[in-house]
Amino acid sequence: MDDDKRRDEGMTQRRKVLGNEWVDKSIANRNAFNTDFQDLITRYAWGEIWTRPHFDHRTRRVLVIGTMVALGQWDEFRLHVRAALTEGGFSPDDIKEILLQQAIYCGVPAANHAVKEASAIVAELGLLKR
């Protein structure tokens, strides 16, 4: 696949996973400093990895959310939790199960923070049950 095709496929995947609103906002915020990086992640993260046939999007979302907990990358964690809930067909219980799993493998402090972050998103989306 050439770079133009990879970029096009990547943009399609990026929109499918994160939603048009988020991607449109990212595109609108491009500038001379971040444009090359945005192009890189569109071509490779989205166009090369997310288009691979072995794992479906649900599995990839679980992997990304769990990895963001492990790395403590909270901006990306919030982005992918929100996208999983709004674009990916995930329920709050799905997110909760990922975080319970990560508590064992990443540690309770990381999972504790993840629960706090995810709870805020679930509440903001009106999905929090009492």
Side-chain angles (χ1 to χ4, degrees):
M1 181 176 348
D2 70 11
D3 276 349
D4 289 335
K5 179 140 177 70
R6 191 177 290 114
R7 185 179 297 106
D8 291 344
E9 299 245 348
M11 187 57 73
T12 298
Q13 292 303 311
R14 194 173 176 190
R15 288 183 178 284
K16 189 175 185 180
V17 173
L18 300 178
N20 287 324
E21 183 180 343
W22 177 263
V23 175
D24 289 344
K25 186 173 96 175
S26 293
I27 290 169
N29 289 329
R30 283 185 175 175
N31 58 48
F33 187 78
N34 68 18
T35 296
D36 290 339
F37 179 75
Q38 290 294 318
D39 184 58
L40 175 80
I41 62 173
T42 299
R43 284 182 292 123
Y44 290 99
W46 299 106
E48 186 69 31
I49 300 303
W50 280 81
T51 60
R52 294 182 62 80
H54 188 80
F55 289 127
D56 62 11
H57 277 188
R58 183 171 181 82
T59 302
R60 290 189 190 282
R61 287 178 189 275
V62 170
L63 288 166
V64 169
I65 291 168
T67 301
M68 294 307 100
V69 173
L71 296 173
Q73 295 296 318
W74 303 116
D75 289 341
E76 289 288 316
F77 173 81
R78 287 187 298 271
L79 168 64
H80 283 278
V81 166
R82 180 181 309 285
L85 291 166
T86 60
E87 305 292 332
F90 278 55
S91 70
D93 284 342
D94 293 327
I95 302 300
K96 178 176 69 175
E97 289 300 320
I98 296 168
L99 301 182
L100 288 169
Q101 177 90 13
Q102 293 308 93
I104 301 305
Y105 289 95
C106 299
V108 171
N112 185 48
H113 190 76
V115 167
K116 175 185 159 204
E117 296 289 347
S119 292
I121 294 166
V122 170
E124 179 186 318
L125 295 174
L127 302 172
L128 189 62
K129 298 176 192 172
R130 290 277 171 194

